Amino acid sequence: MRVDATIADEHAWCADALAAGVTRPRWRVWAYRDAEIVLGCSQRGLREAVARRAPVGVAVSVRASGGGAVLAGPWLLGVSVVLPPGHRLLGEGLVDSYRWLGKLHVRVLREAGIDAHALDPRQARARVANDGAAVRWACFGGLSPWEVMDADGRKLTGLAQQRRRTGVAFSAGTLVARSDWTLLCDALGEPGDAARLAARTVACADVRGAARVSAQAWAERIDAALGEDLG
């Protein structure tokens, strides 16, 4: 577990693990010190423009996995997991391999009093087909199979992965406190999307009935759950 980390720490850890070749499951839980914007690999062409619009001191980077932009910071708890090729949790394909990680987050959230659930592929397809308010450039503005929602359908946890011959790296991010969506939307040149992102998401701290849990305590809970599933 790593507290007070940066996105560069996370990216380096995943890259080093995959470069060396993954022979056993390994993981890290990340608590981010400062606000940072992370673009998906398909958004790398936006990096310079986003960096110009971002507030001074807010780093902008591009991750190796796909998906939309993420605003990391003290409000987001990150998870990185690397699994060796052929591991039992990789399932029968790209989508199915997310199942275990989504369900792990559901278990931890429910233990803290949050009525969470992970979208199975059928539910995700139905939601996407009828989702006219999606913010598709943002990770938390859309929905994918096995990502985690609260009882009102607001997104709590986003998932991503990158696959190499040497192993598979999973990433997850959970909103433990309220995010500054205005910062992210202004930097991406989409200021009108801030209200939509706020409506489509919820932080653990804002769910009615949830236990009051610090970011450090969330990190410890998720780290322990990963140890149960992978250790």
PDB file of all heavy atoms in Angstrom, residues 2 5-20 26 28 30 32 61-64 80 82 162 169 171:
ATOM      1  N   ARG A   2       0.509   2.227  -0.786  1.00  0.00           N
ATOM      2  CA  ARG A   2       1.323   3.444  -0.905  1.00  0.00           C
ATOM      3  C   ARG A   2       0.419   4.657  -0.692  1.00  0.00           C
ATOM      4  O   ARG A   2      -0.528   4.868  -1.440  1.00  0.00           O
ATOM      5  CB  ARG A   2       1.971   3.501  -2.284  1.00  0.00           C
ATOM      6  CG  ARG A   2       2.695   4.812  -2.598  1.00  0.00           C
ATOM      7  CD  ARG A   2       3.968   4.971  -1.786  1.00  0.00           C
ATOM      8  NE  ARG A   2       4.566   6.275  -2.030  1.00  0.00           N
ATOM      9  CZ  ARG A   2       5.461   6.538  -2.987  1.00  0.00           C
ATOM     10  NH1 ARG A   2       5.821   5.587  -3.822  1.00  0.00           N
ATOM     11  NH2 ARG A   2       5.986   7.732  -3.102  1.00  0.00           N
ATOM     12  N   ALA A   5       0.966   9.217  -2.871  1.00  0.00           N
ATOM     13  CA  ALA A   5       1.608   8.858  -4.128  1.00  0.00           C
ATOM     14  C   ALA A   5       1.281   9.879  -5.207  1.00  0.00           C
ATOM     15  O   ALA A   5       0.447  10.769  -5.028  1.00  0.00           O
ATOM     16  CB  ALA A   5       1.143   7.472  -4.561  1.00  0.00           C
ATOM     17  N   THR A   6       1.955   9.745  -6.337  1.00  0.00           N
ATOM     18  CA  THR A   6       1.636  10.520  -7.523  1.00  0.00           C
ATOM     19  C   THR A   6       1.247   9.545  -8.636  1.00  0.00           C
ATOM     20  O   THR A   6       1.517   8.347  -8.562  1.00  0.00           O
ATOM     21  CB  THR A   6       2.832  11.355  -7.990  1.00  0.00           C
ATOM     22  OG1 THR A   6       3.872  10.465  -8.442  1.00  0.00           O
ATOM     23  CG2 THR A   6       3.369  12.239  -6.866  1.00  0.00           C
ATOM     24  N   ILE A   7       0.634  10.084  -9.690  1.00  0.00           N
ATOM     25  CA  ILE A   7       0.299   9.244 -10.838  1.00  0.00           C
ATOM     26  C   ILE A   7       1.570   8.666 -11.458  1.00  0.00           C
ATOM     27  O   ILE A   7       1.584   7.525 -11.930  1.00  0.00           O
ATOM     28  CB  ILE A   7      -0.502  10.054 -11.862  1.00  0.00           C
ATOM     29  CG1 ILE A   7      -1.892  10.382 -11.290  1.00  0.00           C
ATOM     30  CG2 ILE A   7      -0.646   9.294 -13.171  1.00  0.00           C
ATOM     31  CD1 ILE A   7      -2.761   9.165 -10.997  1.00  0.00           C
ATOM     32  N   ALA A   8       2.666   9.427 -11.456  1.00  0.00           N
ATOM     33  CA  ALA A   8       3.929   8.915 -11.982  1.00  0.00           C
ATOM     34  C   ALA A   8       4.385   7.678 -11.210  1.00  0.00           C
ATOM     35  O   ALA A   8       4.901   6.719 -11.805  1.00  0.00           O
ATOM     36  CB  ALA A   8       5.005  10.000 -11.925  1.00  0.00           C
ATOM     37  N   ASP A   9       4.197   7.670  -9.886  1.00  0.00           N
ATOM     38  CA  ASP A   9       4.533   6.485  -9.089  1.00  0.00           C
ATOM     39  C   ASP A   9       3.728   5.276  -9.556  1.00  0.00           C
ATOM     40  O   ASP A   9       4.266   4.173  -9.718  1.00  0.00           O
ATOM     41  CB  ASP A   9       4.231   6.734  -7.608  1.00  0.00           C
ATOM     42  CG  ASP A   9       5.084   7.819  -6.988  1.00  0.00           C
ATOM     43  OD1 ASP A   9       6.247   7.967  -7.406  1.00  0.00           O
ATOM     44  OD2 ASP A   9       4.588   8.507  -6.078  1.00  0.00           O
ATOM     45  N   GLU A  10       2.435   5.502  -9.750  1.00  0.00           N
ATOM     46  CA  GLU A  10       1.556   4.411 -10.164  1.00  0.00           C
ATOM     47  C   GLU A  10       1.935   3.888 -11.549  1.00  0.00           C
ATOM     48  O   GLU A  10       2.058   2.672 -11.767  1.00  0.00           O
ATOM     49  CB  GLU A  10       0.106   4.887 -10.157  1.00  0.00           C
ATOM     50  CG  GLU A  10      -0.886   3.835 -10.604  1.00  0.00           C
ATOM     51  CD  GLU A  10      -2.311   4.347 -10.609  1.00  0.00           C
ATOM     52  OE1 GLU A  10      -2.556   5.474 -10.137  1.00  0.00           O
ATOM     53  OE2 GLU A  10      -3.186   3.613 -11.095  1.00  0.00           O
ATOM     54  N   HIS A  11       2.119   4.798 -12.504  1.00  0.00           N
ATOM     55  CA  HIS A  11       2.471   4.381 -13.856  1.00  0.00           C
ATOM     56  C   HIS A  11       3.797   3.621 -13.881  1.00  0.00           C
ATOM     57  O   HIS A  11       3.928   2.613 -14.578  1.00  0.00           O
ATOM     58  CB  HIS A  11       2.559   5.598 -14.771  1.00  0.00           C
ATOM     59  CG  HIS A  11       1.221   6.198 -15.090  1.00  0.00           C
ATOM     60  ND1 HIS A  11       1.083   7.314 -15.885  1.00  0.00           N
ATOM     61  CD2 HIS A  11      -0.034   5.853 -14.731  1.00  0.00           C
ATOM     62  CE1 HIS A  11      -0.198   7.623 -15.994  1.00  0.00           C
ATOM     63  NE2 HIS A  11      -0.891   6.754 -15.299  1.00  0.00           N
ATOM     64  N   ALA A  12       4.761   4.095 -13.110  1.00  0.00           N
ATOM     65  CA  ALA A  12       6.072   3.443 -13.080  1.00  0.00           C
ATOM     66  C   ALA A  12       5.976   2.050 -12.480  1.00  0.00           C
ATOM     67  O   ALA A  12       6.621   1.106 -12.964  1.00  0.00           O
ATOM     68  CB  ALA A  12       7.066   4.298 -12.295  1.00  0.00           C
ATOM     69  N   TRP A  13       5.179   1.907 -11.429  1.00  0.00           N
ATOM     70  CA  TRP A  13       5.032   0.594 -10.798  1.00  0.00           C
ATOM     71  C   TRP A  13       4.447  -0.418 -11.779  1.00  0.00           C
ATOM     72  O   TRP A  13       4.957  -1.540 -11.908  1.00  0.00           O
ATOM     73  CB  TRP A  13       4.149   0.714  -9.555  1.00  0.00           C
ATOM     74  CG  TRP A  13       4.039  -0.556  -8.781  1.00  0.00           C
ATOM     75  CD1 TRP A  13       4.887  -1.008  -7.803  1.00  0.00           C
ATOM     76  CD2 TRP A  13       3.029  -1.564  -8.924  1.00  0.00           C
ATOM     77  NE1 TRP A  13       4.457  -2.230  -7.333  1.00  0.00           N
ATOM     78  CE2 TRP A  13       3.331  -2.593  -7.999  1.00  0.00           C
ATOM     79  CE3 TRP A  13       1.903  -1.685  -9.737  1.00  0.00           C
ATOM     80  CZ2 TRP A  13       2.533  -3.732  -7.874  1.00  0.00           C
ATOM     81  CZ3 TRP A  13       1.113  -2.822  -9.615  1.00  0.00           C
ATOM     82  CH2 TRP A  13       1.416  -3.835  -8.697  1.00  0.00           C
ATOM     83  N   CYS A  14       3.380  -0.032 -12.484  1.00  0.00           N
ATOM     84  CA  CYS A  14       2.757  -0.942 -13.457  1.00  0.00           C
ATOM     85  C   CYS A  14       3.716  -1.265 -14.608  1.00  0.00           C
ATOM     86  O   CYS A  14       3.844  -2.424 -15.020  1.00  0.00           O
ATOM     87  CB  CYS A  14       1.476  -0.325 -14.012  1.00  0.00           C
ATOM     88  SG  CYS A  14       0.108  -0.255 -12.841  1.00  0.00           S
ATOM     89  N   ALA A  15       4.385  -0.234 -15.128  1.00  0.00           N
ATOM     90  CA  ALA A  15       5.293  -0.447 -16.255  1.00  0.00           C
ATOM     91  C   ALA A  15       6.441  -1.371 -15.868  1.00  0.00           C
ATOM     92  O   ALA A  15       6.816  -2.278 -16.637  1.00  0.00           O
ATOM     93  CB  ALA A  15       5.831   0.893 -16.753  1.00  0.00           C
ATOM     94  N   ASP A  16       7.003  -1.168 -14.690  1.00  0.00           N
ATOM     95  CA  ASP A  16       8.114  -2.009 -14.248  1.00  0.00           C
ATOM     96  C   ASP A  16       7.660  -3.457 -14.052  1.00  0.00           C
ATOM     97  O   ASP A  16       8.387  -4.399 -14.412  1.00  0.00           O
ATOM     98  CB  ASP A  16       8.696  -1.475 -12.940  1.00  0.00           C
ATOM     99  CG  ASP A  16       9.457  -0.163 -13.117  1.00  0.00           C
ATOM    100  OD1 ASP A  16       9.724   0.207 -14.275  1.00  0.00           O
ATOM    101  OD2 ASP A  16       9.747   0.484 -12.094  1.00  0.00           O
ATOM    102  N   ALA A  17       6.465  -3.638 -13.474  1.00  0.00           N
ATOM    103  CA  ALA A  17       5.965  -4.992 -13.243  1.00  0.00           C
ATOM    104  C   ALA A  17       5.751  -5.737 -14.559  1.00  0.00           C
ATOM    105  O   ALA A  17       6.122  -6.908 -14.696  1.00  0.00           O
ATOM    106  CB  ALA A  17       4.667  -4.943 -12.441  1.00  0.00           C
ATOM    107  N   LEU A  18       5.170  -5.066 -15.545  1.00  0.00           N
ATOM    108  CA  LEU A  18       4.918  -5.706 -16.834  1.00  0.00           C
ATOM    109  C   LEU A  18       6.218  -5.935 -17.604  1.00  0.00           C
ATOM    110  O   LEU A  18       6.366  -6.953 -18.292  1.00  0.00           O
ATOM    111  CB  LEU A  18       3.946  -4.862 -17.660  1.00  0.00           C
ATOM    112  CG  LEU A  18       2.514  -4.776 -17.122  1.00  0.00           C
ATOM    113  CD1 LEU A  18       1.700  -3.791 -17.956  1.00  0.00           C
ATOM    114  CD2 LEU A  18       1.843  -6.144 -17.115  1.00  0.00           C
ATOM    115  N   ALA A  19       7.152  -5.016 -17.501  1.00  0.00           N
ATOM    116  CA  ALA A  19       8.422  -5.174 -18.206  1.00  0.00           C
ATOM    117  C   ALA A  19       9.217  -6.350 -17.655  1.00  0.00           C
ATOM    118  O   ALA A  19       9.884  -7.076 -18.414  1.00  0.00           O
ATOM    119  CB  ALA A  19       9.243  -3.889 -18.101  1.00  0.00           C
ATOM    120  N   ALA A  20       9.148  -6.552 -16.355  1.00  0.00           N
ATOM    121  CA  ALA A  20       9.899  -7.637 -15.733  1.00  0.00           C
ATOM    122  C   ALA A  20       9.258  -8.997 -15.970  1.00  0.00           C
ATOM    123  O   ALA A  20       9.921 -10.031 -15.888  1.00  0.00           O
ATOM    124  CB  ALA A  20      10.026  -7.384 -14.227  1.00  0.00           C
ATOM    125  N   ARG A  26       0.379  -9.263  -7.809  1.00  0.00           N
ATOM    126  CA  ARG A  26       0.911  -8.178  -6.981  1.00  0.00           C
ATOM    127  C   ARG A  26      -0.060  -7.016  -7.056  1.00  0.00           C
ATOM    128  O   ARG A  26      -0.794  -6.881  -8.036  1.00  0.00           O
ATOM    129  CB  ARG A  26       2.292  -7.741  -7.459  1.00  0.00           C
ATOM    130  CG  ARG A  26       3.365  -8.790  -7.354  1.00  0.00           C
ATOM    131  CD  ARG A  26       4.642  -8.335  -8.022  1.00  0.00           C
ATOM    132  NE  ARG A  26       5.151  -7.099  -7.429  1.00  0.00           N
ATOM    133  CZ  ARG A  26       6.006  -6.285  -8.045  1.00  0.00           C
ATOM    134  NH1 ARG A  26       6.426  -6.553  -9.271  1.00  0.00           N
ATOM    135  NH2 ARG A  26       6.430  -5.186  -7.439  1.00  0.00           N
ATOM    136  N   ARG A  28      -1.002  -2.706  -5.482  1.00  0.00           N
ATOM    137  CA  ARG A  28      -0.756  -1.516  -4.687  1.00  0.00           C
ATOM    138  C   ARG A  28      -2.052  -0.722  -4.577  1.00  0.00           C
ATOM    139  O   ARG A  28      -2.862  -0.706  -5.513  1.00  0.00           O
ATOM    140  CB  ARG A  28       0.304  -0.606  -5.336  1.00  0.00           C
ATOM    141  CG  ARG A  28       1.717  -1.151  -5.285  1.00  0.00           C
ATOM    142  CD  ARG A  28       2.284  -1.118  -3.870  1.00  0.00           C
ATOM    143  NE  ARG A  28       3.691  -1.515  -3.849  1.00  0.00           N
ATOM    144  CZ  ARG A  28       4.124  -2.770  -3.813  1.00  0.00           C
ATOM    145  NH1 ARG A  28       3.249  -3.770  -3.824  1.00  0.00           N
ATOM    146  NH2 ARG A  28       5.413  -3.045  -3.778  1.00  0.00           N
ATOM    147  N   TRP A  30      -3.280   3.201  -3.867  1.00  0.00           N
ATOM    148  CA  TRP A  30      -2.671   4.525  -3.974  1.00  0.00           C
ATOM    149  C   TRP A  30      -3.601   5.612  -3.416  1.00  0.00           C
ATOM    150  O   TRP A  30      -4.767   5.681  -3.776  1.00  0.00           O
ATOM    151  CB  TRP A  30      -2.393   4.864  -5.436  1.00  0.00           C
ATOM    152  CG  TRP A  30      -1.706   3.806  -6.218  1.00  0.00           C
ATOM    153  CD1 TRP A  30      -2.305   2.849  -7.002  1.00  0.00           C
ATOM    154  CD2 TRP A  30      -0.306   3.573  -6.316  1.00  0.00           C
ATOM    155  NE1 TRP A  30      -1.361   2.041  -7.584  1.00  0.00           N
ATOM    156  CE2 TRP A  30      -0.116   2.463  -7.183  1.00  0.00           C
ATOM    157  CE3 TRP A  30       0.821   4.196  -5.780  1.00  0.00           C
ATOM    158  CZ2 TRP A  30       1.143   1.968  -7.507  1.00  0.00           C
ATOM    159  CZ3 TRP A  30       2.068   3.698  -6.094  1.00  0.00           C
ATOM    160  CH2 TRP A  30       2.224   2.601  -6.943  1.00  0.00           C
ATOM    161  N   TYR A  32      -3.599   9.660  -3.481  1.00  0.00           N
ATOM    162  CA  TYR A  32      -2.899  10.712  -4.227  1.00  0.00           C
ATOM    163  C   TYR A  32      -2.826  12.006  -3.422  1.00  0.00           C
ATOM    164  O   TYR A  32      -3.821  12.467  -2.874  1.00  0.00           O
ATOM    165  CB  TYR A  32      -3.602  10.958  -5.558  1.00  0.00           C
ATOM    166  CG  TYR A  32      -3.812   9.690  -6.348  1.00  0.00           C
ATOM    167  CD1 TYR A  32      -5.075   9.108  -6.418  1.00  0.00           C
ATOM    168  CD2 TYR A  32      -2.752   9.069  -6.988  1.00  0.00           C
ATOM    169  CE1 TYR A  32      -5.272   7.933  -7.131  1.00  0.00           C
ATOM    170  CE2 TYR A  32      -2.946   7.897  -7.700  1.00  0.00           C
ATOM    171  CZ  TYR A  32      -4.205   7.332  -7.765  1.00  0.00           C
ATOM    172  OH  TYR A  32      -4.404   6.166  -8.456  1.00  0.00           O
ATOM    173  N   SER A  61      -0.953  13.828 -17.468  1.00  0.00           N
ATOM    174  CA  SER A  61      -0.226  12.679 -17.992  1.00  0.00           C
ATOM    175  C   SER A  61      -1.170  11.807 -18.807  1.00  0.00           C
ATOM    176  O   SER A  61      -2.386  12.005 -18.808  1.00  0.00           O
ATOM    177  CB  SER A  61       0.400  11.860 -16.856  1.00  0.00           C
ATOM    178  OG  SER A  61      -0.601  11.387 -15.972  1.00  0.00           O
ATOM    179  N   VAL A  62      -0.595  10.833 -19.507  1.00  0.00           N
ATOM    180  CA  VAL A  62      -1.359   9.887 -20.318  1.00  0.00           C
ATOM    181  C   VAL A  62      -1.047   8.481 -19.810  1.00  0.00           C
ATOM    182  O   VAL A  62       0.123   8.120 -19.662  1.00  0.00           O
ATOM    183  CB  VAL A  62      -0.989   9.995 -21.811  1.00  0.00           C
ATOM    184  CG1 VAL A  62      -1.778   8.983 -22.635  1.00  0.00           C
ATOM    185  CG2 VAL A  62      -1.243  11.411 -22.317  1.00  0.00           C
ATOM    186  N   ARG A  63      -2.073   7.696 -19.543  1.00  0.00           N
ATOM    187  CA  ARG A  63      -1.850   6.332 -19.078  1.00  0.00           C
ATOM    188  C   ARG A  63      -1.808   5.360 -20.257  1.00  0.00           C
ATOM    189  O   ARG A  63      -2.232   5.690 -21.362  1.00  0.00           O
ATOM    190  CB  ARG A  63      -2.945   5.924 -18.085  1.00  0.00           C
ATOM    191  CG  ARG A  63      -4.344   5.896 -18.648  1.00  0.00           C
ATOM    192  CD  ARG A  63      -5.360   5.519 -17.567  1.00  0.00           C
ATOM    193  NE  ARG A  63      -6.717   5.459 -18.102  1.00  0.00           N
ATOM    194  CZ  ARG A  63      -7.542   6.491 -18.165  1.00  0.00           C
ATOM    195  NH1 ARG A  63      -7.153   7.674 -17.717  1.00  0.00           N
ATOM    196  NH2 ARG A  63      -8.757   6.354 -18.665  1.00  0.00           N
ATOM    197  N   ALA A  64      -1.335   4.165 -19.997  1.00  0.00           N
ATOM    198  CA  ALA A  64      -1.209   3.162 -21.054  1.00  0.00           C
ATOM    199  C   ALA A  64      -2.533   2.494 -21.388  1.00  0.00           C
ATOM    200  O   ALA A  64      -2.686   1.917 -22.461  1.00  0.00           O
ATOM    201  CB  ALA A  64      -0.186   2.108 -20.645  1.00  0.00           C
ATOM    202  N   SER A  80      -3.903  -0.674  -8.221  1.00  0.00           N
ATOM    203  CA  SER A  80      -3.231  -1.313  -9.350  1.00  0.00           C
ATOM    204  C   SER A  80      -3.002  -2.773  -8.994  1.00  0.00           C
ATOM    205  O   SER A  80      -2.530  -3.078  -7.894  1.00  0.00           O
ATOM    206  CB  SER A  80      -1.877  -0.656  -9.646  1.00  0.00           C
ATOM    207  OG  SER A  80      -2.017   0.694  -9.993  1.00  0.00           O
ATOM    208  N   VAL A  82      -1.453  -6.452 -10.842  1.00  0.00           N
ATOM    209  CA  VAL A  82      -0.894  -7.167 -11.991  1.00  0.00           C
ATOM    210  C   VAL A  82      -1.061  -8.660 -11.767  1.00  0.00           C
ATOM    211  O   VAL A  82      -0.821  -9.169 -10.667  1.00  0.00           O
ATOM    212  CB  VAL A  82       0.583  -6.800 -12.237  1.00  0.00           C
ATOM    213  CG1 VAL A  82       0.709  -5.364 -12.724  1.00  0.00           C
ATOM    214  CG2 VAL A  82       1.446  -7.014 -11.002  1.00  0.00           C
ATOM    215  N   GLN A 162      -4.671  -2.938 -18.971  1.00  0.00           N
ATOM    216  CA  GLN A 162      -3.757  -3.029 -20.106  1.00  0.00           C
ATOM    217  C   GLN A 162      -3.200  -4.449 -20.141  1.00  0.00           C
ATOM    218  O   GLN A 162      -2.885  -5.031 -19.105  1.00  0.00           O
ATOM    219  CB  GLN A 162      -2.629  -2.002 -20.008  1.00  0.00           C
ATOM    220  CG  GLN A 162      -1.910  -1.950 -18.676  1.00  0.00           C
ATOM    221  CD  GLN A 162      -0.788  -0.935 -18.664  1.00  0.00           C
ATOM    222  OE1 GLN A 162       0.081  -0.933 -19.532  1.00  0.00           O
ATOM    223  NE2 GLN A 162      -0.806  -0.062 -17.672  1.00  0.00           N
ATOM    224  N   ALA A 169      -2.371  -5.740 -16.328  1.00  0.00           N
ATOM    225  CA  ALA A 169      -2.426  -4.747 -15.256  1.00  0.00           C
ATOM    226  C   ALA A 169      -3.825  -4.145 -15.190  1.00  0.00           C
ATOM    227  O   ALA A 169      -4.330  -3.634 -16.189  1.00  0.00           O
ATOM    228  CB  ALA A 169      -1.389  -3.647 -15.479  1.00  0.00           C
ATOM    229  N   SER A 171      -6.454  -1.384 -13.282  1.00  0.00           N
ATOM    230  CA  SER A 171      -6.510  -0.152 -12.496  1.00  0.00           C
ATOM    231  C   SER A 171      -7.950   0.102 -12.073  1.00  0.00           C
ATOM    232  O   SER A 171      -8.877  -0.166 -12.843  1.00  0.00           O
ATOM    233  CB  SER A 171      -6.011   1.045 -13.311  1.00  0.00           C
ATOM    234  OG  SER A 171      -4.674   0.864 -13.705  1.00  0.00           O
TER     235      SER A 171
END
